[in-house]
Amino acid sequence: MTSAYSLRSRAPGLSAPTRTLLLHGNDPEQKRRELLDYFTQTFDLYEQLFDCLADQRAWFIKAIRLRHPLIFYYGHTAAFFINKLMAGRLIDKRIDARIEAMVAIGVDEMSWDDLDERNYDWPSVAALRDYRQQVRARVIAFIDNMPMELPIRWESPVWAILMGIEHERIHLETSSVLIRQLPLDWVQPQPAWPICPQARQDRHSVPANRLLPVAGGGVELGKCDDTYGWDNEYGQRRVELAPFQASQLLVSNAEFFEFVAAGGYHQRRFWDDEGWGWRSFAKAVMPTFWVGHADQPDSLQLRLMTHEVPMPWDWPVEVNQLEAAAFCRWKREITGESVQLPSEAQWQHLRSRIAADQPHWPQAPGNINLEYWASSCPVDLFASGEFYDLIGNVWQWTSTPIDGFEGFKVHPLYDDFSTPTFDGKHNLMKGGSWISTGNEAIRSSRYAFRRHFFQHAGFRYLVSDYQEPQSVNPYETDTLVAQYLDFHYGPRHFGVANFGQTLARIAADSAAQHGRALDIGCAVGRASFELARYFAHVDGVDYSARFIDVALALTRQESFRYAVPTEGELVEYREARLADHDLEPTSRIHFSQGDACNLKPKYADYDLVLAANLLDRLREPARFLQDIGNRLRPGGILLLTSPYTWLEEFTPKAHWLGGIRENGEALTTHQALQRLLGSQFEEIAQPRDIPFVIRETARKYQHTVAQLTVWRKRN
């Protein structure tokens, strides 16, 4: 196939592309300069994207109901640098604690995400512009002065900066999608974001797609290059593929229109249950970015980021995964062949036809990395052998739900990047789009979204008999999460009562009022559920999204399966169910992710705060204690438990409350608590010991004794 177009090198207005940083090198100072350039180019490019907003409403009104307004994302990527540097104990001072709490947590349409706008008093655009400039200066100073050792590894301070850079590049793309979903008169074209001028506006002139044979073979999945990677990219998996056929082109708007014209959006048999549920809820009759009426194809337009243009029929269609799968079922019916979306391994097998990878290509071999346009382009423009658009133009949906490879480990600075998506409900997209830069443009990148989610994403199809396993709520094998599930909901050991149940009873007896309760450091939620027996409203808050996601699964009346080790590689499988403990989901409980040392203002007016085994895991326990009193009503109760296991791994020694010598005299944590809390609280009971047992294996247990102290806020 020969394209009717000539390929331009670059569109006017686009800045020079930035290549991903290599982790190895011979000159640390040269690497420092490269990192500084990579940071500043990323930071400035993100600022440039928001120049496309022409109306104040574009900043503060949600583009779609299940995402924050763009003002959040403008601050979020900057605050991410500060929050991660604080979490890594690489800096010891915030820039603006209020902003850094408000914009800390992004949204993946998780039910635990806090999307209630009543909880937000957004800063002004000017305030966030000033904040971003302060962050820019702080990060530049950090880069200038941090130790630089090569190669760069996970534990290096450089990794935290790279994490922030690649995180901002992800939001460069996701924010561009939100801009695309705003009213057209709220946005404005910018020379820095030029659209491709090449398009066929006669759908009958679009080249026909065809299937090409692909030999089978073994595919090795897992990152092996010399660039930054997210945790889910590491590990290994080998897949043996049988021969298959693959479409030469991405599915174009013209090809997808055949499905629309055939009534594909109205015929139940082309959709699975999830897809039909979404289609019915959304009342979809054609792709979301098509503007006009499907029965008048000559008048259809396509919504781009800041433009509506006459339908470019030879550009790739942009749909969610459910629409792509429905098209494949329709295609299967009319051809009699087993048409389906590619698996991750099949896509990777096709991708191997492009030898060079970012950052080693002299010029991008596809419409990617912002090296050509700020829009899609014709599907027959970028060839790699016989196939087109193996990377770039739009992301390509797969049939593969994301999970971890063998050897998967979470990065301690971002433990909720991947694991909340390992639920069978998030499918991988591969290949990148025109605005995919940095890690997104790397061969080994693995990004997944909910199947009804919109990105700059389309698809190609295969003819194959391979069926990708679809797992929903698999057994939780993350050691820490499974251990906490068993601690909270598993059997008792050695006659020791359930810790959360015991604390909730003490809390109920201690509090005069049973209105609002906060369980801070709630983990997977047992104490929160127990508190809801007595209190009208319970907030369960934890720093770990992995824990919160489990707690939310239980509130949806879902059981949660997990595996606990018995010995060596052997495990036994268990299931946590609220009903087994005479508990039930209730609207009185609200779980959310939060930082105990930097809570949002909405967490206030409590009759009880429970902080169970939290103090000796905080980086600044004194700061937490000084703040928590302001969140209790007069007469409210603060319940603290801790085994006082002070470790520098969690708390710098200078911040230990006790277990130290002060002026040569022993200072216990209880003495320090009396000193810290004395001005706001009175201690209303003698300290008491509360035992708990955590199972590690069938024959190894942690038997710990926590000290419980009870404090009443003075009137």
Side-chain angles (χ1 to χ4, degrees), residues 4-126:
Y5 304 119
S6 59
L7 182 60
R8 298 172 60 179
S9 59
R10 289 187 59 75
L14 281 180
S15 58
T18 297
R19 299 295 161 80
T20 302
L21 198 76
L22 293 173
L23 303 180
H24 283 73
N26 298 316
D27 184 345
E29 292 311 307
Q30 173 63 29
K31 191 63 64 178
R32 191 189 305 274
R33 291 190 292 273
E34 291 174 15
L35 179 65
L36 184 60
D37 289 345
Y38 195 34
F39 166 73
T40 55
Q41 201 267 3
T42 302
F43 209 82
D44 295 345
L45 181 63
Y46 194 70
E47 295 267 352
Q48 202 172 44
L49 179 71
F50 286 81
D51 292 341
C52 296
L53 303 185
D55 190 299
Q56 279 290 102
R57 291 171 293 181
W59 291 91
F60 294 99
I61 296 178
K62 296 176 181 180
I64 58 174
R65 182 175 60 86
L66 289 172
R67 301 298 299 274
H68 283 306
L70 280 160
I71 190 72
F72 169 91
Y73 298 102
Y74 186 60
H76 172 65
T77 60
F80 184 95
F81 283 98
I82 302 303
N83 285 329
K84 294 308 178 190
L85 289 171
M86 287 288 293
R89 295 165 53 189
L90 298 169
I91 59 174
D92 57 9
K93 187 177 180 182
R94 294 187 172 276
I95 291 176
D96 188 316
R98 176 177 171 270
I99 288 175
E100 285 148 12
M102 184 177 296
V103 301
I105 302 166
V107 179
D108 175 47
E109 300 189 42
M110 299 287 192
S111 55
W112 51 260
D113 282 313
D114 176 14
L115 288 166
D116 188 342
E117 292 306 298
R118 293 172 297 180
N119 294 326
Y120 292 92
D121 178 18
W122 298 116
S124 67
V125 176

Side-chain angles (χ1 to χ4, degrees), residues 271-451:
W271 303 78
D272 63 12
D273 290 344
E274 181 185 355
W276 189 250
W278 167 80
R279 192 222 66 82
S280 301
F281 172 80
K283 297 180 173 56
V285 297
M286 62 183 183
T288 267
F289 297 118
W290 290 12
V291 180
H293 298 282
D295 56 358
Q296 299 175 11
D298 292 339
S299 65
L300 284 173
Q301 294 191 305
L302 182 67
R303 171 62 192 267
L304 306 179
M305 190 165 70
T306 60
H307 301 71
E308 281 180 7
V309 298
M311 181 61 71
W313 290 106
D314 58 347
W315 288 15
V317 71
E318 291 164 280
V319 292
N320 64 30
Q321 200 268 357
L322 302 171
E323 293 169 291
F327 173 94
C328 290
R329 295 186 191 97
W330 167 77
K331 195 81 170 175
R332 184 182 307 166
E333 181 175 287
I334 64 173
T335 64
E337 298 183 295
S338 53
V339 178
Q340 59 187 39
L341 294 174
S343 68
E344 178 183 22
Q346 287 169 324
W347 178 87
Q348 195 79 4
H349 195 45
L350 286 169
R351 170 66 174 78
S352 65
R353 285 161 173 74
I354 300 176
D357 199 5
Q358 226 262 62
H360 300 292
W361 58 44
Q363 187 172 11
N367 184 19
I368 195 170
N369 203 42
L370 285 171
E371 294 201 29
Y372 297 95
W373 302 285
S375 75
S376 298
C377 68
V379 295
D380 62 339
L381 204 53
F382 288 92
S384 298
E386 290 187 275
F387 288 94
Y388 289 78
D389 287 334
L390 291 179
I391 64 170
N393 220 353
V394 291
W395 288 95
Q396 300 173 44
W397 283 110
T398 74
S399 61
T400 304
I402 189 172
D403 64 356
F405 295 140
E406 183 177 349
F408 167 79
K409 296 178 181 178
V410 299
H411 193 284
L413 285 186
Y414 204 170
D415 75 337
D416 57 330
F417 179 78
S418 298
T419 51
T421 66
F422 291 174
D423 57 2
K425 299 175 184 178
H426 293 70
N427 275 48
L428 284 158
M429 303 184 309
K430 304 296 288 186
S433 77
W434 52 269
I435 196 173
S436 298
T437 62
N439 172 269
E440 290 182 303
I442 297 293
R443 178 195 309 260
S444 58
S445 71
R446 303 179 82 227
Y447 293 90
F449 289 94
R450 291 179 182 259
R451 290 181 279 269

Side-chain angles (χ1 to χ4, degrees), residues 180-256:
R180 190 176 184 181
Q181 294 172 290
L182 288 170
L184 196 62
D185 59 355
W186 294 6
V187 299
Q188 58 190 356
Q190 291 290 317
W193 302 95
I195 65 173
C196 176
Q198 302 169 3
R200 297 177 176 93
Q201 267 138 39
D202 176 3
R203 71 180 186 278
H204 302 293
S205 67
V206 176
N209 212 345
R210 63 191 182 103
L211 291 163
L212 299 176
V214 180
V219 177
E220 298 285 348
L221 299 176
K223 187 174 182 66
C224 58
D225 59 38
D226 185 29
T227 60
Y228 174 90
W230 297 107
D231 54 13
N232 67 61
E233 297 167 21
Y234 292 94
Q236 293 181 324
R237 178 174 297 158
R238 180 174 176 82
V239 181
E240 292 294 334
L241 295 175
F244 58 92
Q245 298 177 76
S247 63
Q248 183 180 32
L249 307 168
L250 296 177
V251 173
S252 65
N253 287 310
E255 187 174 10
F256 196 85

